[in-house]
Amino acid sequence: MMKDVQSEKDQRRVALKYVGVDEIRWPLQLRDKQRGVQHTVAKVRLAVDLPQDTRGTHMSRFVECLQELEYLELGQEERVLDLLKEHLQAESAMMRLEFPYFLQKAAPVSGKVAPMDIDCVFTAEKRDKFSLKVRADIPIQTLCPCSKEISERGAHNQRAVARMEVLAGEMVWLEELAEMADRAASSPVYSLLKRPDEKFVTEHAYDNPRFVEDAVRELALMLDRDRRIKAYRVRVESIESIHNHNAFAVVERDWQ
Amino acid sequence: MMKDVQSEKDQRRVALKYVGVDEIRWPLQLRDKQRGVQHTVAKVRLAVDLPQDTRGTHMSRFVECLQELEYLELGQEERVLDLLKEHLQAESAMMRLEFPYFLQKAAPVSGKVAPMDIDCVFTAEKRDKFSLKVRADIPIQTLCPCSKEISERGAHNQRAVARMEVLAGEMVWLEELAEMADRAASSPVYSLLKRPDEKFVTEHAYDNPRFVEDAVRELALMLDRDRRIKAYRVRVESIESIHNHNAFAVVERDWQ
Amino acid sequence: MMKDVQSEKDQRRVALKYVGVDEIRWPLQLRDKQRGVQHTVAKVRLAVDLPQDTRGTHMSRFVECLQELEYLELGQEERVLDLLKEHLQAESAMMRLEFPYFLQKAAPVSGKVAPMDIDCVFTAEKRDKFSLKVRADIPIQTLCPCSKEISERGAHNQRAVARMEVLAGEMVWLEELAEMADRAASSPVYSLLKRPDEKFVTEHAYDNPRFVEDAVRELALMLDRDRRIKAYRVRVESIESIHNHNAFAVVERDWQ
Amino acid sequence: MMKDVQSEKDQRRVALKYVGVDEIRWPLQLRDKQRGVQHTVAKVRLAVDLPQDTRGTHMSRFVECLQELEYLELGQEERVLDLLKEHLQAESAMMRLEFPYFLQKAAPVSGKVAPMDIDCVFTAEKRDKFSLKVRADIPIQTLCPCSKEISERGAHNQRAVARMEVLAGEMVWLEELAEMADRAASSPVYSLLKRPDEKFVTEHAYDNPRFVEDAVRELALMLDRDRRIKAYRVRVESIESIHNHNAFAVVERDWQ
């Protein structure tokens, strides 16, 4: 029989916070507010803690836990963590899923619908209590209030990313976070715009100039009003159209 | 004495186009049109061909060739290729250098100067004849002519990248390529703009709307007029401020 | 009625090779040799040519063409190109899809099956004739023949990537390309290995030392024997475990 | 005179943690333990806090602060933060520098010296007290103890990255962090190895098998013994040569 090197006693008396696998990709299925089921692909990190007297973890069991589920699905985070704790005989477990998610977005005038991708990260941890942090990167448009004010015509604008990170007591849809970001922006962005839509978006952005500072403050106010949100961190970063660098602002409440 | 496995005879009768090292970073020094010497860091690829009857190349010699130079310097490309051919007993050699380069750019009204980075790639090859391809990614601003025309106020604009690839018969400064891209744009971009500059840039872009199609055509005309340029490929890609995807256009002449 | 700026006459007499959209992500469905249907997410580039007398293309139509299909599916490439040519009134069209694909791979001793991801790029073009280039990045293991030969024990080995690009006259499954890469390697790599598998893989790699030069030559021989393959380019790059840089080799036949 | 929109009163009563610029590249000069001065290029983030009653910050002043220094230099972090606080009238300031750094590393047998790059991040913050966190990504080799134990010959090994993050009370050289990582590894990695070196490295790694768990524990012990280190986080991640995913372990002390 083969020796189990990982199970050797370790004398160094150093407990490890995390041991596990990273950068593993796996098909992911999730519920979609608008259409039922959505298929995507996640980059996955799985880890457990390691007590000070054990030399190593059994890395193959992480992948076996993924295999045991018929498919990886959002909403099952706690079940995965319980599986990891059980199969790896650990006190605590964590899972991080990074994946693109598609919103179905309707253009503002023509109403034409097309999918638009956002980048999401779900980070779940469980020792005794289960916690889930959700991060969504929502692309938006910002139009500079200063540029508009001081110029006789036009105003510089650009794509920006609203990175919303929340710890919630109850289910919050990704669509809800995206709608907040859209309201905080000079304008939402879309995958499909016909000319009447482009006219609307251009004028709407011009009529709603927003610094990154404005956008994060609007988001803070919205998140403060939402009883489900226990803690948050919001970062808006503009891909400045007049510079080769970005502008950003961050606001957070009870975030760690 | 240790066996030289690489020098074994190979019976498979397959000659290789390239064998070498990649993703090696090395300090790089180069001449700067405005200030003399500039220090940067390059990601380097070095390769030679391998005849069908030899099993392998000697990878450590590539790094020894880099070491033999006091420092890696732009303008020495042919000397490096000759060193590689000699030390690795090869018929042909190639070197690819990818590095950030700093232009010194003055703001249009205040005249304040600050460095702005561009990404560059130099690809040199030599069998009998030496050739050098230069690629520079110049950040610019594009303002949409359609959005301006159809909207009562404002116009969407965004950062774009003009990727210019040229094969030249004589020395072409990176600063010259950057100036062409700036002229083809709705506006150049800068690292440091005070309010009078921002007003100028905003209005200048509004007065010079350019599709990506316009920008590549302007660049084609400029490159066609430059006798030093033997072949080119130009690609302008706009980070659309109204979409979460980009628009691009490509034009090329005698490019391969 | 709104003015159609894009349809203006252009006087610059510069025809464009490509105009279109890039970095757009879209759900992708494809046939899977082992299990029927597989869902993934693609980064998409779509373009057409633009004649010298037209100012611009209609960017929104690219997205409308994607929307017109019920879903984006591999095998439909020519149909998408025909749609693009028709809707954008173009002479030629191209589509590039970049996506992760999952192989179902069984461990060599335990037989345990788990998905392993490979990165793929499909590039389709059509003017009069349709062509499709397939690129697959297959992770493999390489064990250094020189290190094994000169050392009394052990041999350095590492993960490597076999980038296979082929132009085929008939359908070639991604699974077939992956199997070729596995045969050219010191050992295949897997997502799930139990201890007897790990023993097998370790000894198998030690018994089959391969330089990157060996691996590309083995692949060239296999592709030369396959009548479906009209042209190819193969590049194997080892993430050297004894260096902070990589070693690579390239072989190609009739590739452009 | 132009209106100063940024200085408007803000009624939303939301103070911001950070506002500033990001992704700006700038030449960086630093002291090198072995050779005096080293030139590199940094990606820079600069930020200050923003009180609840001010609408926006003045983004151009961040770049002016960079310009005011003759050049950006390691060791000047606190001076830059003081400049930012003064010019932007802020209570707190932060700077993040991300850059490649070159160690001069001698091969173990031949003694041949060549530069090897490591990725570094310096994060400095100051409200009342100045703090500096240093992160260095040191490439190392790990050889699997389990694979060695269960196999009759060979053992899988791979490049790994030791990410060391420390908060120090006194100066710690990057070279010192790199030496710790090398001692915790199965073997250091090098840019230039001749055959006797390769033999040495291969056998040395085979004689010193290390899980990622072993490597982080060795590093924890070294950092615990170093009186200058007040807090740390260490993460070792192996680019597994038998998988297409990575293994990792994390240990930290007083880190936040």
Side-chain angles (χ1 to χ4, degrees):
Chain A
M1 203 197 135
M2 287 179 194
K3 193 172 161 193
D4 183 355
V5 184
Q6 282 85 350
S7 299
E8 284 173 1
K9 281 279 164 217
D10 202 282
Q11 312 293 344
R12 284 168 290 196
R13 307 175 61 91
V14 180
L16 302 187
K17 182 163 182 177
Y18 298 121
V19 293
V21 294
D22 205 353
E23 305 283 323
I24 182 164
R25 283 195 291 190
W26 210 264
L28 173 66
Q29 192 166 307
L30 42 80
R31 276 194 305 158
D32 177 322
K33 198 184 175 198
Q34 290 142 317
R35 307 202 303 180
V37 170
Q38 185 174 131
H39 299 277
T40 184
V41 172
K43 204 164 69 181
V44 182
R45 180 189 301 162
L46 299 172
V48 293
D49 67 327
L50 189 70
Q52 61 168 41
D53 58 356
T54 307
R55 183 161 181 206
T57 195
H58 292 87
M59 296 286 181
S60 66
R61 293 186 194 166
F62 291 101
V63 182
E64 286 180 305
C65 286
L66 286 179
Q67 274 295 75
E68 196 163 302
L69 307 163
E70 200 186 341
Y71 37 76
L72 189 55
E73 195 179 1
L74 279 204
Q76 296 185 322
E77 293 83 2
E78 190 166 4
R79 189 178 149 209
V80 176
L81 297 187
D82 287 335
L83 262 179
L84 292 178
K85 286 173 69 172
E86 183 194 331
H87 284 247
L88 289 134
Q89 296 164 296
E91 295 292 311
S92 71
M94 75 86 74
M95 171 168 67
R96 183 184 189 275
L97 301 172
E98 185 178 346
F99 56 91
Y101 178 81
F102 291 96
L103 305 169
Q104 297 298 325
K105 249 180 139 165
V109 178
S110 70
K112 280 178 181 266
V113 175
M116 193 191 76
D117 58 310
I118 60 173
D119 284 308
C120 301
V121 175
F122 277 47
T123 307
E125 302 218 37
K126 186 173 186 181
R127 179 170 291 271
D128 305 311
K129 252 182 50 188
F130 172 75
S131 79
L132 175 64
K133 284 178 179 167
V134 169
R135 185 177 101 188
D137 285 355
I138 318 292
I140 56 172
Q141 188 186 358
T142 54
L143 183 139
C144 179
C146 169
S147 168
K148 178 183 173 181
E149 176 68 34
I150 63 181
S151 304
E152 285 170 36
R153 52 201 179 278
H156 79 79
N157 52 74
Q158 52 269 318
R159 197 189 301 162
V161 177
R163 169 164 291 183
M164 300 178 68
E165 296 181 89
V166 300
L167 180 71
E170 292 164 58
M171 170 75 180
V172 178
W173 292 96
L174 292 166
E175 283 81 358
E176 293 176 283
L177 296 178
E179 282 158 27
M180 290 185 200
D182 282 355
R183 288 206 304 276
S186 293
S187 170
V189 304
Y190 302 88
S191 291
L192 179 51
L193 294 173
K194 299 306 291 180
R195 253 176 304 172
D197 301 310
E198 187 171 354
K199 174 181 163 61
F200 180 90
V201 165
T202 301
E203 294 170 357
H204 183 75
Y206 191 79
D207 296 340
N208 291 279
R210 292 279 162 88
F211 290 124
V212 288
E213 294 94 323
D214 293 317
V216 293
R217 278 176 166 142
E218 294 299 324
L219 282 166
L221 294 177
M222 289 182 227
L223 291 166
D224 284 340
R225 280 193 300 267
D226 190 319
R227 301 249 172 127
R228 297 169 300 177
I229 305 298
K230 295 179 171 170
Y232 62 81
R233 184 177 207 266
V234 173
R235 186 187 204 277
V236 173
E237 180 162 349
S238 281
I239 307 164
E240 295 287 290
S241 63
I242 60 172
H243 296 303
N244 197 27
H245 59 259
N246 299 345
F248 79 104
V250 173
V251 62
E252 57 185 47
R253 196 191 75 209
D254 300 329
W255 191 253
Q256 39 189 338
Chain B
M1 203 196 134
M2 288 179 192
K3 193 172 162 194
D4 182 354
V5 184
Q6 282 86 350
S7 299
E8 284 172 1
K9 280 278 166 218
D10 202 283
Q11 311 294 344
R12 283 169 289 197
R13 307 175 62 90
V14 180
L16 302 187
K17 182 164 182 177
Y18 298 121
V19 294
V21 295
D22 205 353
E23 306 284 321
I24 182 162
R25 283 195 291 190
W26 210 265
L28 173 67
Q29 192 166 308
L30 42 80
R31 276 193 307 157
D32 176 322
K33 199 185 174 197
Q34 291 142 316
R35 308 202 304 181
V37 170
Q38 184 174 129
H39 300 277
T40 184
V41 172
K43 204 163 69 180
V44 181
R45 181 188 301 162
L46 300 171
V48 294
D49 67 326
L50 189 71
Q52 61 169 42
D53 58 356
T54 307
R55 183 162 180 205
T57 195
H58 292 88
M59 295 286 181
S60 66
R61 293 186 193 166
F62 291 101
V63 182
E64 285 181 306
C65 286
L66 287 178
Q67 274 297 74
E68 195 162 302
L69 307 162
E70 201 186 339
Y71 37 76
L72 190 55
E73 196 179 1
L74 279 204
Q76 295 185 324
E77 293 82 2
E78 190 166 4
R79 189 179 149 208
V80 176
L81 298 187
D82 287 335
L83 262 179
L84 292 178
K85 287 173 68 172
E86 183 194 331
H87 284 245
L88 289 133
Q89 296 164 294
E91 294 294 311
S92 71
M94 75 87 73
M95 171 168 66
R96 183 184 189 273
L97 301 171
E98 185 178 346
F99 57 91
Y101 178 82
F102 292 97
L103 305 169
Q104 298 297 325
K105 249 181 139 166
V109 178
S110 70
K112 280 177 181 268
V113 175
M116 192 190 76
D117 57 311
I118 60 173
D119 284 307
C120 301
V121 175
F122 277 47
T123 307
E125 302 218 36
K126 186 174 186 182
R127 179 171 290 273
D128 304 312
K129 253 183 48 190
F130 172 74
S131 78
L132 175 64
K133 284 179 179 166
V134 169
R135 185 178 102 188
D137 285 354
I138 318 293
I140 56 172
Q141 188 185 357
T142 54
L143 184 139
C144 180
C146 170
S147 168
K148 178 182 172 182
E149 175 69 34
I150 63 180
S151 305
E152 285 171 36
R153 51 201 179 277
H156 79 80
N157 52 74
Q158 53 268 318
R159 197 190 301 161
V161 177
R163 170 164 291 183
M164 301 178 68
E165 297 181 88
V166 300
L167 180 72
E170 292 165 59
M171 170 77 181
V172 177
W173 291 96
L174 292 166
E175 283 80 358
E176 293 177 284
L177 296 178
E179 282 158 26
M180 290 184 200
D182 283 354
R183 289 207 304 277
S186 293
S187 169
V189 304
Y190 302 89
S191 291
L192 179 50
L193 294 173
K194 301 305 291 179
R195 255 176 302 172
D197 301 311
E198 187 172 353
K199 174 181 163 61
F200 180 90
V201 165
T202 301
E203 295 170 357
H204 183 77
Y206 191 79
D207 296 340
N208 291 279
R210 292 278 162 89
F211 290 124
V212 288
E213 293 95 323
D214 293 316
V216 294
R217 278 176 166 142
E218 294 299 323
L219 282 165
L221 294 178
M222 290 182 225
L223 291 165
D224 284 341
R225 281 193 299 268
D226 190 319
R227 300 253 173 123
R228 299 169 299 177
I229 305 298
K230 295 180 173 172
Y232 62 80
R233 183 177 209 264
V234 174
R235 186 187 206 275
V236 173
E237 180 163 349
S238 282
I239 307 164
E240 296 286 290
S241 62
I242 59 172
H243 296 304
N244 196 27
H245 59 259
N246 299 344
F248 79 105
V250 173
V251 62
E252 58 185 47
R253 196 191 76 209
D254 301 328
W255 192 254
Q256 41 189 337
Chain C
M1 203 194 134
M2 288 179 193
K3 193 172 160 195
D4 183 355
V5 184
Q6 282 86 349
S7 299
E8 285 172 0
K9 280 280 166 217
D10 202 282
Q11 311 293 345
R12 284 168 289 197
R13 305 175 62 90
V14 180
L16 301 186
K17 183 164 180 177
Y18 298 121
V19 293
V21 293
D22 205 353
E23 305 283 323
I24 182 163
R25 284 195 290 190
W26 210 263
L28 173 67
Q29 193 167 308
L30 42 79
R31 276 194 308 157
D32 176 323
K33 198 184 174 198
Q34 291 141 317
R35 307 203 302 183
V37 170
Q38 185 175 131
H39 299 277
T40 185
V41 172
K43 204 164 68 182
V44 181
R45 181 188 302 162
L46 300 172
V48 293
D49 67 326
L50 189 70
Q52 61 170 42
D53 57 358
T54 307
R55 182 161 181 205
T57 194
H58 292 88
M59 296 286 180
S60 65
R61 295 186 194 166
F62 291 101
V63 183
E64 285 179 306
C65 286
L66 286 178
Q67 273 296 74
E68 195 163 304
L69 306 162
E70 200 185 342
Y71 37 76
L72 189 55
E73 196 179 2
L74 280 204
Q76 296 184 321
E77 293 82 3
E78 190 167 4
R79 190 181 147 206
V80 176
L81 298 187
D82 287 335
L83 262 179
L84 291 178
K85 287 173 67 171
E86 183 194 330
H87 284 246
L88 289 133
Q89 296 163 295
E91 295 294 310
S92 72
M94 75 86 74
M95 171 168 67
R96 183 184 189 275
L97 301 172
E98 185 178 347
F99 56 92
Y101 177 82
F102 291 95
L103 305 169
Q104 297 297 325
K105 247 179 140 167
V109 178
S110 70
K112 280 177 182 267
V113 175
M116 193 190 76
D117 57 311
I118 60 173
D119 284 308
C120 301
V121 175
F122 277 46
T123 307
E125 302 219 35
K126 186 173 186 181
R127 178 171 291 273
D128 305 311
K129 253 182 50 189
F130 172 75
S131 79
L132 176 65
K133 284 179 178 166
V134 169
R135 185 177 102 187
D137 285 355
I138 319 293
I140 56 172
Q141 188 185 0
T142 54
L143 184 139
C144 179
C146 170
S147 168
K148 178 182 174 183
E149 176 68 34
I150 64 180
S151 305
E152 285 171 35
R153 52 201 179 277
H156 78 80
N157 52 75
Q158 53 268 318
R159 197 190 301 161
V161 176
R163 169 165 291 183
M164 300 177 68
E165 297 181 87
V166 299
L167 179 71
E170 292 165 59
M171 170 76 181
V172 178
W173 291 96
L174 292 166
E175 283 81 356
E176 292 177 284
L177 296 178
E179 282 157 27
M180 289 185 201
D182 282 355
R183 289 207 304 277
S186 292
S187 170
V189 304
Y190 303 88
S191 291
L192 180 51
L193 294 173
K194 300 305 292 180
R195 254 177 302 173
D197 300 311
E198 186 171 355
K199 174 180 162 60
F200 180 90
V201 165
T202 301
E203 294 170 356
H204 183 76
Y206 191 79
D207 296 340
N208 291 279
R210 293 279 162 88
F211 290 124
V212 288
E213 293 95 324
D214 293 316
V216 294
R217 277 175 166 142
E218 293 300 323
L219 282 165
L221 294 178
M222 289 182 226
L223 291 166
D224 285 341
R225 279 193 299 268
D226 191 319
R227 300 252 173 123
R228 299 169 298 178
I229 306 297
K230 296 179 171 172
Y232 62 80
R233 184 178 207 264
V234 173
R235 185 187 206 276
V236 173
E237 180 163 349
S238 282
I239 306 165
E240 295 287 290
S241 63
I242 60 172
H243 296 304
N244 196 28
H245 59 259
N246 299 344
F248 80 104
V250 173
V251 63
E252 57 185 47
R253 197 192 73 209
D254 301 327
W255 192 253
Q256 40 190 338
Chain D
M1 203 197 134
M2 287 179 194
K3 192 171 160 194
D4 183 354
V5 184
Q6 282 86 349
S7 298
E8 284 173 1
K9 280 280 165 216
D10 203 282
Q11 311 293 345
R12 283 168 291 196
R13 306 176 61 91
V14 180
L16 301 187
K17 182 163 181 176
Y18 297 121
V19 293
V21 294
D22 205 353
E23 305 283 322
I24 182 163
R25 284 194 291 190
W26 210 263
L28 173 66
Q29 192 166 306
L30 43 80
R31 276 193 306 157
D32 176 321
K33 198 185 175 197
Q34 291 141 318
R35 307 201 304 179
V37 170
Q38 185 175 130
H39 299 278
T40 184
V41 172
K43 203 164 70 181
V44 182
R45 180 188 302 162
L46 300 172
V48 293
D49 67 327
L50 189 70
Q52 61 169 39
D53 57 357
T54 307
R55 182 159 182 207
T57 194
H58 292 88
M59 296 286 181
S60 66
R61 294 186 193 167
F62 291 101
V63 182
E64 285 180 306
C65 285
L66 287 178
Q67 273 296 75
E68 196 163 301
L69 307 163
E70 200 185 343
Y71 37 76
L72 189 55
E73 195 179 2
L74 279 203
Q76 295 185 322
E77 294 83 2
E78 190 167 4
R79 190 180 147 208
V80 176
L81 297 188
D82 287 336
L83 262 178
L84 291 178
K85 286 174 68 172
E86 183 194 331
H87 284 246
L88 289 134
Q89 296 164 293
E91 295 292 311
S92 71
M94 75 86 73
M95 171 168 67
R96 183 184 189 276
L97 302 171
E98 184 177 347
F99 56 91
Y101 177 83
F102 291 96
L103 305 169
Q104 298 297 325
K105 248 179 140 167
V109 178
S110 70
K112 279 176 182 268
V113 175
M116 193 191 76
D117 57 312
I118 60 173
D119 284 308
C120 300
V121 175
F122 277 46
T123 308
E125 301 219 35
K126 186 173 186 181
R127 179 171 290 271
D128 304 310
K129 253 182 50 190
F130 172 75
S131 79
L132 175 64
K133 284 179 179 166
V134 169
R135 186 178 101 187
D137 285 354
I138 318 293
I140 56 173
Q141 187 185 359
T142 54
L143 184 140
C144 179
C146 169
S147 168
K148 177 182 173 182
E149 176 68 35
I150 63 180
S151 304
E152 284 170 36
R153 51 200 179 278
H156 79 80
N157 52 75
Q158 53 269 316
R159 197 190 301 161
V161 177
R163 169 165 291 183
M164 300 177 68
E165 297 181 89
V166 300
L167 180 72
E170 292 164 58
M171 170 76 181
V172 178
W173 291 96
L174 292 166
E175 283 81 357
E176 292 177 284
L177 296 178
E179 282 158 26
M180 291 183 199
D182 282 355
R183 289 207 304 277
S186 292
S187 169
V189 304
Y190 303 88
S191 291
L192 179 51
L193 295 173
K194 300 306 291 180
R195 254 176 304 172
D197 301 310
E198 186 172 354
K199 174 181 163 61
F200 180 89
V201 164
T202 301
E203 295 170 356
H204 183 76
Y206 191 79
D207 297 340
N208 291 279
R210 292 279 162 89
F211 289 125
V212 287
E213 294 94 323
D214 293 317
V216 294
R217 277 176 167 143
E218 293 300 322
L219 282 165
L221 293 177
M222 289 182 226
L223 291 166
D224 285 339
R225 279 193 300 266
D226 190 319
R227 301 251 172 126
R228 298 169 300 176
I229 306 297
K230 296 179 171 172
Y232 62 81
R233 184 177 207 266
V234 174
R235 186 187 205 277
V236 173
E237 179 162 350
S238 282
I239 306 165
E240 295 287 289
S241 63
I242 60 172
H243 297 303
N244 197 27
H245 59 259
N246 299 345
F248 80 104
V250 173
V251 62
E252 57 185 47
R253 197 192 74 209
D254 300 329
W255 191 255
Q256 41 189 339

